[in-house]
Protein backbone atom coordinates (compact mmCIF):
# COMPACT_ATOMS: atom_id res chain seq x y z
CA UNK A 1 0.00 0.00 0.00
CA UNK A 2 1.29 3.45 -0.88
CA UNK A 3 2.29 5.60 2.07
CA UNK A 4 2.71 9.27 2.69
CA UNK A 5 6.07 10.80 3.53
CA UNK A 6 6.93 10.07 7.14
CA UNK A 7 8.97 13.19 7.80
CA UNK A 8 7.18 15.29 10.38
CA UNK A 9 7.22 19.06 10.04
CA UNK A 10 6.28 21.58 12.67
CA UNK A 11 3.74 24.32 12.11
CA UNK A 12 6.56 26.87 11.82
CA UNK A 13 8.28 24.70 9.21
CA UNK A 14 5.10 24.73 7.13
CA UNK A 15 4.86 28.51 7.48
CA UNK A 16 8.49 28.84 6.40
CA UNK A 17 7.83 26.71 3.30
CA UNK A 18 4.73 28.76 2.54
CA UNK A 19 6.70 31.99 2.89
CA UNK A 20 9.32 30.82 0.42
CA UNK A 21 6.56 29.67 -1.93
CA UNK A 22 5.27 33.25 -2.05
CA UNK A 23 8.79 34.71 -2.31
CA UNK A 24 9.86 32.53 -5.24
CA UNK A 25 6.51 32.94 -7.03
CA UNK A 26 6.67 36.71 -6.59
CA UNK A 27 10.17 36.88 -8.06
CA UNK A 28 9.09 34.82 -11.07
CA UNK A 29 5.98 36.94 -11.65
CA UNK A 30 8.00 40.17 -11.40
CA UNK A 31 10.69 38.74 -13.68
CA UNK A 32 8.12 37.86 -16.34
CA UNK A 33 6.49 41.27 -15.88
CA UNK A 34 9.86 42.92 -16.58
CA UNK A 35 10.23 40.80 -19.73
CA UNK A 36 6.74 41.88 -20.81
CA UNK A 37 8.07 45.45 -20.89
CA UNK A 38 9.66 44.64 -24.26
CA UNK A 39 6.29 43.66 -25.78
CA UNK A 40 4.13 46.24 -24.02
CA UNK A 41 2.83 47.64 -27.32
CA UNK A 42 1.48 44.20 -28.23
CA UNK A 43 -0.01 43.71 -24.75
CA UNK A 44 -1.89 47.01 -24.75
CA UNK A 45 -2.68 47.79 -28.38
CA UNK A 46 -3.41 44.23 -29.53
CA UNK A 47 -4.57 42.35 -26.43
CA UNK A 48 -6.00 44.87 -23.96
CA UNK A 49 -7.64 47.17 -26.51
CA UNK A 50 -8.37 44.43 -29.04
CA UNK A 51 -12.01 43.90 -27.92
CA UNK A 52 -12.57 47.64 -28.37
CA UNK A 53 -12.47 47.08 -32.14
CA UNK A 54 -15.90 46.23 -33.66
CA UNK A 55 -14.07 43.83 -36.01
CA UNK A 56 -12.81 41.74 -33.09
CA UNK A 57 -13.12 38.00 -33.80
CA UNK A 58 -15.80 37.44 -31.12
CA UNK A 59 -18.14 40.06 -32.57
CA UNK A 60 -17.71 38.63 -36.07
CA UNK A 61 -18.41 35.11 -34.82
CA UNK A 62 -21.64 35.99 -33.00
CA UNK A 63 -22.72 38.13 -35.92
CA UNK A 64 -22.26 35.23 -38.34
CA UNK A 65 -24.09 32.86 -35.99
CA UNK A 66 -27.11 35.17 -35.76
CA UNK A 67 -27.11 35.57 -39.55
CA UNK A 68 -27.03 31.80 -39.93
CA UNK A 69 -30.09 31.35 -37.71
CA UNK A 70 -31.85 34.39 -39.15
CA UNK A 71 -31.98 36.21 -35.81
CA UNK A 72 -32.01 39.98 -35.37
CA UNK A 73 -28.34 40.96 -35.19
CA UNK A 74 -28.74 44.41 -33.67
CA UNK A 75 -26.99 43.39 -30.46
CA UNK A 76 -24.79 40.51 -31.66
CA UNK A 77 -23.19 42.43 -34.53
CA UNK A 78 -21.06 45.10 -32.95
CA UNK A 79 -21.21 48.44 -34.64
CA UNK A 80 -18.86 51.38 -34.18
CA UNK A 81 -18.40 51.77 -30.43
CA UNK A 82 -19.25 55.30 -29.41
CA UNK A 83 -17.01 55.67 -26.37
CA UNK A 84 -13.63 57.09 -25.46
CA UNK A 85 -11.01 55.98 -22.98
CA UNK A 86 -9.20 58.64 -21.02
CA UNK A 87 -6.85 59.06 -18.08
CA UNK A 88 -7.94 61.34 -15.23
CA UNK A 89 -5.15 60.90 -12.71
CA UNK A 90 -1.56 62.14 -12.81
CA UNK A 91 -0.10 58.68 -12.11
CA UNK A 92 -3.06 56.81 -13.57
CA UNK A 93 -1.42 55.46 -16.71
CA UNK A 94 1.82 54.58 -14.94
CA UNK A 95 0.04 52.67 -12.18
CA UNK A 96 -2.21 50.90 -14.67
CA UNK A 97 0.85 50.06 -16.80
CA UNK A 98 2.73 48.42 -13.90
CA UNK A 99 -0.22 46.38 -12.63
CA UNK A 100 -1.08 45.20 -16.13
CA UNK A 101 2.46 43.91 -16.64
CA UNK A 102 2.31 42.20 -13.23
CA UNK A 103 -1.01 40.61 -14.19
CA UNK A 104 0.59 39.39 -17.42
CA UNK A 105 3.45 37.99 -15.34
CA UNK A 106 0.97 36.13 -13.13
CA UNK A 107 -0.92 34.66 -16.09
CA UNK A 108 2.20 33.56 -17.97
CA UNK A 109 3.92 32.33 -14.81
CA UNK A 110 0.90 30.41 -13.53
CA UNK A 111 2.39 26.96 -14.34
CA UNK A 112 5.42 27.79 -12.18
CA UNK A 113 3.14 28.89 -9.33
CA UNK A 114 1.37 25.53 -9.66
CA UNK A 115 4.74 23.80 -9.38
CA UNK A 116 5.47 25.67 -6.16
CA UNK A 117 2.02 24.75 -4.80
CA UNK A 118 2.64 21.12 -5.71
CA UNK A 119 5.95 21.07 -3.84
CA UNK A 120 4.17 22.52 -0.79
CA UNK A 121 1.38 19.91 -0.70
CA UNK A 122 3.57 17.01 -1.88
CA UNK A 123 4.46 15.70 1.62
CA UNK A 124 0.75 15.14 2.39
CA UNK A 125 0.23 12.92 -0.66
CA UNK A 126 0.69 9.21 -1.18
CA UNK A 127 3.74 7.95 -3.08
CA UNK A 128 1.71 7.17 -6.21
CA UNK A 129 0.12 10.62 -6.12
CA UNK A 130 3.50 12.33 -5.76
CA UNK A 131 4.46 10.94 -9.16
CA UNK A 132 1.58 12.83 -10.76
CA UNK A 133 3.31 16.21 -10.60
CA UNK A 134 3.57 16.54 -14.37
CA UNK A 135 -0.07 15.60 -14.91
CA UNK A 136 -1.24 17.96 -12.16
CA UNK A 137 0.66 20.94 -13.57
CA UNK A 138 -0.32 20.14 -17.16
CA UNK A 139 -4.06 19.68 -16.49
CA UNK A 140 -4.25 22.65 -14.10
CA UNK A 141 -2.40 24.90 -16.56
CA UNK A 142 -4.61 23.83 -19.46
CA UNK A 143 -7.76 24.53 -17.43
CA UNK A 144 -6.42 27.91 -16.35
CA UNK A 145 -5.46 29.01 -19.87
CA UNK A 146 -8.79 27.79 -21.25
CA UNK A 147 -10.45 29.96 -18.62
CA UNK A 148 -8.21 32.89 -19.56
CA UNK A 149 -9.17 32.52 -23.23
CA UNK A 150 -12.84 32.19 -22.27
CA UNK A 151 -12.64 35.41 -20.26
CA UNK A 152 -10.82 37.23 -23.04
CA UNK A 153 -12.85 36.06 -26.02
CA UNK A 154 -16.29 35.71 -24.39
CA UNK A 155 -16.79 37.61 -21.13
CA UNK A 156 -14.75 40.74 -21.92
CA UNK A 157 -16.20 41.33 -25.42
CA UNK A 158 -19.77 40.75 -24.21
CA UNK A 159 -19.24 43.26 -21.41
CA UNK A 160 -17.62 45.86 -23.67
CA UNK A 161 -20.29 45.44 -26.35
CA UNK A 162 -23.08 45.93 -23.82
CA UNK A 163 -21.69 48.86 -21.87
CA UNK A 164 -20.33 50.63 -24.94
CA UNK A 165 -23.68 50.54 -26.73
CA UNK A 166 -25.90 51.12 -23.68
CA UNK A 167 -27.10 54.70 -23.40
CA UNK A 168 -30.10 56.06 -21.53
CA UNK A 169 -29.98 59.40 -23.35
CA UNK A 170 -28.30 60.96 -26.37
CA UNK A 171 -27.20 63.75 -24.04
CA UNK A 172 -24.80 61.37 -22.28
CA UNK A 173 -21.41 60.60 -23.79
CA UNK A 174 -19.58 57.45 -22.74
CA UNK A 175 -16.08 58.36 -21.57
CA UNK A 176 -14.53 55.49 -19.61
CA UNK A 177 -11.42 55.87 -17.49
CA UNK A 178 -8.50 53.74 -18.61
CA UNK A 179 -8.30 52.23 -15.12
CA UNK A 180 -11.92 51.01 -15.19
CA UNK A 181 -11.53 49.58 -18.70
CA UNK A 182 -8.28 47.74 -17.99
CA UNK A 183 -9.54 46.55 -14.59
CA UNK A 184 -12.59 45.02 -16.26
CA UNK A 185 -10.35 43.26 -18.77
CA UNK A 186 -8.03 41.91 -16.07
CA UNK A 187 -10.91 40.77 -13.86
CA UNK A 188 -12.60 38.97 -16.77
CA UNK A 189 -9.40 37.16 -17.73
CA UNK A 190 -7.93 36.24 -14.32
CA UNK A 191 -11.26 35.44 -12.65
CA UNK A 192 -12.24 33.12 -15.50
CA UNK A 193 -8.90 31.35 -15.31
CA UNK A 194 -9.31 30.74 -11.57
CA UNK A 195 -12.96 29.60 -11.92
CA UNK A 196 -11.88 27.00 -14.47
CA UNK A 197 -9.65 25.48 -11.76
CA UNK A 198 -12.81 24.20 -10.03
CA UNK A 199 -12.20 20.50 -10.88
CA UNK A 200 -8.68 20.69 -9.42
CA UNK A 201 -9.93 22.41 -6.28
CA UNK A 202 -12.66 19.79 -5.85
CA UNK A 203 -10.06 17.04 -6.30
CA UNK A 204 -7.99 18.23 -3.35
CA UNK A 205 -11.05 18.97 -1.21
CA UNK A 206 -12.22 15.43 -1.90
CA UNK A 207 -8.77 14.08 -0.97
CA UNK A 208 -9.01 15.91 2.34
CA UNK A 209 -12.47 14.51 2.91
CA UNK A 210 -14.06 17.96 2.94
CA UNK A 211 -16.21 17.28 -0.13
CA UNK A 212 -18.00 14.13 -1.28
CA UNK A 213 -19.88 13.38 -4.53
CA UNK A 214 -23.09 12.98 -2.54
CA UNK A 215 -22.58 16.43 -1.03
CA UNK A 216 -22.07 17.99 -4.47
CA UNK A 217 -25.14 16.22 -5.86
CA UNK A 218 -27.28 17.18 -2.88
CA UNK A 219 -26.43 20.87 -3.21
CA UNK A 220 -26.40 20.97 -7.00
CA UNK A 221 -29.47 23.22 -7.14
CA UNK A 222 -27.82 25.72 -4.81
CA UNK A 223 -24.65 25.56 -6.89
CA UNK A 224 -26.67 26.36 -10.01
CA UNK A 225 -28.12 29.44 -8.32
CA UNK A 226 -24.63 30.56 -7.22
CA UNK A 227 -23.29 30.02 -10.74
CA UNK A 228 -26.12 32.07 -12.23
CA UNK A 229 -25.45 34.86 -9.72
CA UNK A 230 -21.73 34.71 -10.54
CA UNK A 231 -22.51 34.88 -14.25
CA UNK A 232 -24.77 37.87 -13.63
CA UNK A 233 -21.93 39.65 -11.79
CA UNK A 234 -19.20 39.11 -14.39
CA UNK A 235 -21.39 39.63 -17.47
CA UNK A 236 -23.73 42.35 -18.72
CA UNK A 237 -27.31 42.21 -17.34
CA UNK A 238 -28.77 40.40 -20.33
CA UNK A 239 -29.98 36.80 -20.47
CA UNK A 240 -27.98 35.56 -23.54
CA UNK A 241 -24.65 36.64 -22.04
CA UNK A 242 -25.44 35.03 -18.69
CA UNK A 243 -26.41 31.75 -20.37
CA UNK A 244 -23.24 31.70 -22.48
CA UNK A 245 -21.09 32.17 -19.37
CA UNK A 246 -23.10 29.82 -17.14
CA UNK A 247 -22.96 26.75 -19.41
CA UNK A 248 -19.17 26.10 -19.15
CA UNK A 249 -19.22 26.61 -15.38
CA UNK A 250 -22.13 24.20 -14.98
CA UNK A 251 -20.21 21.63 -17.04
CA UNK A 252 -17.17 22.14 -14.79
CA UNK A 253 -19.37 21.50 -11.75
CA UNK A 254 -20.62 18.23 -13.24
CA UNK A 255 -17.04 17.21 -14.03
CA UNK A 256 -16.14 18.04 -10.42
CA UNK A 257 -18.83 15.63 -9.19
CA UNK A 258 -17.31 12.89 -11.34
CA UNK A 259 -13.82 13.66 -10.03
CA UNK A 260 -15.04 13.59 -6.41
CA UNK A 261 -16.64 10.18 -7.06
CA UNK A 262 -13.38 8.81 -8.48
CA UNK A 263 -11.41 10.12 -5.50
CA UNK A 264 -13.93 8.63 -3.05
CA UNK A 265 -13.71 5.26 -4.79
CA UNK A 266 -9.91 5.23 -4.70
CA UNK A 267 -9.91 6.26 -1.05
CA UNK A 268 -12.15 3.32 -0.17
CA UNK A 269 -9.87 0.98 -2.13
CA UNK A 270 -6.75 2.21 -0.30
CA UNK A 271 -8.45 1.70 3.03
Amino acid sequence: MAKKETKEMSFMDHLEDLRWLFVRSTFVVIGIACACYFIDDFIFDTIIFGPKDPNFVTYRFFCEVTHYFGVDDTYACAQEFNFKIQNQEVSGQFSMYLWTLITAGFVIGFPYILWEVWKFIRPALYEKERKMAGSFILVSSILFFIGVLFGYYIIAPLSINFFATFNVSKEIENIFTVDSYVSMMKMSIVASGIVFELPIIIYFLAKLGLVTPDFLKKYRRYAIVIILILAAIVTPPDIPSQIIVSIPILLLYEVSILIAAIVAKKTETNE
Side-chain angles (χ1 to χ4, degrees):
M1 181 182 295
K3 295 183 179 180
K4 298 180 181 180
E5 291 186 359
T6 57
K7 181 182 178 180
E8 295 292 336
M9 296 179 63
S10 66
F11 178 72
M12 295 303 298
D13 289 334
H14 285 297
L15 285 181
E16 182 67 11
D17 285 349
L18 186 62
R19 182 176 74 87
W20 279 107
L21 182 158
F22 283 114
V23 170
R24 289 190 294 267
S25 298
T26 299
F27 272 110
V28 168
V29 169
I30 293 177
I32 297 175
C34 292
C36 289
Y37 164 80
F38 298 99
I39 57 170
D40 56 355
D41 289 341
F42 173 77
I43 291 175
F44 286 95
D45 295 337
T46 303
I47 297 180
I48 297 296
F49 295 112
K52 184 178 179 292
D53 185 356
N55 294 316
F56 189 66
V57 60
T58 303
Y59 306 133
R60 297 202 309 268
F61 172 77
F62 282 115
C63 186
E64 291 176 2
V65 169
T66 55
H67 281 160
Y68 179 80
F69 288 102
V71 181
D72 180 18
D73 61 358
T74 303
Y75 173 75
C77 295
Q79 48 193 333
E80 190 67 30
F81 292 140
N82 186 27
F83 74 93
K84 298 178 181 179
I85 299 178
Q86 67 174 8
N87 176 55
Q88 293 183 327
E89 298 180 4
V90 175
S91 60
Q93 289 197 58
F94 181 74
S95 177
M96 178 273 299
Y97 178 83
L98 288 181
W99 281 108
T100 300
L101 294 186
I102 291 175
T103 302
F106 172 79
V107 172
I108 298 173
F110 191 75
Y112 176 81
I113 297 174
L114 288 174
W115 170 248
E116 287 290 343
V117 172
W118 178 265
K119 289 196 299 182
F120 180 74
I121 64 177
R122 185 177 181 273
L125 301 176
Y126 291 101
E127 181 180 354
K128 184 178 180 180
E129 295 168 336
R130 293 197 296 270
K131 297 178 181 179
M132 297 171 56
S135 300
F136 164 76
I137 296 173
L138 177 63
V139 174
S140 299
S141 298
I142 290 175
L143 287 173
F144 177 77
F145 289 124
I146 290 176
V148 166
L149 293 175
F150 182 79
Y152 180 71
Y153 284 105
I154 301 297
I155 296 180
L158 288 175
S159 301
I160 292 173
N161 188 22
F162 177 84
F163 291 115
T165 57
F166 181 80
N167 202 322
V168 297
S169 172
K170 294 181 179 180
E171 299 298 322
I172 302 176
E173 182 180 5
N174 284 328
I175 302 178
F176 305 142
T177 63
V178 65
D179 183 62
S180 65
Y181 177 89
V182 174
S183 295
M184 184 194 67
M185 288 292 299
K186 291 189 293 185
M187 184 191 72
S188 300
I189 293 171
V190 176
S192 295
I194 294 175
V195 168
F196 271 64
E197 293 293 301
L198 179 62
I200 303 299
I201 296 173
I202 292 297
Y203 172 81
F204 285 104
L205 291 178
K207 290 293 296 181
L208 294 173
L210 300 177
V211 168
T212 64
D214 293 334
F215 174 85
L216 295 175
K217 293 177 183 177
K218 179 180 179 181
Y219 292 97
R220 179 189 276 118
R221 65 183 64 181
Y222 299 104
I224 292 174
V225 173
I226 293 174
I227 290 172
L228 292 175
I229 293 175
L230 178 64
I233 292 175
V234 300
T235 61
D238 64 278
I239 301 300
S241 298
Q242 294 174 13
I243 293 176
I244 291 173
V245 172
S246 298
I247 290 176
I249 303 177
L250 290 172
L251 291 176
L252 287 172
Y253 187 83
E254 295 300 323
V255 171
S256 299
I257 294 177
L258 178 61
I259 290 174
I262 294 174
V263 171
K265 185 176 180 180
K266 287 186 176 180
T267 302
E268 292 177 359
T269 302
N270 291 331
E271 293 176 351

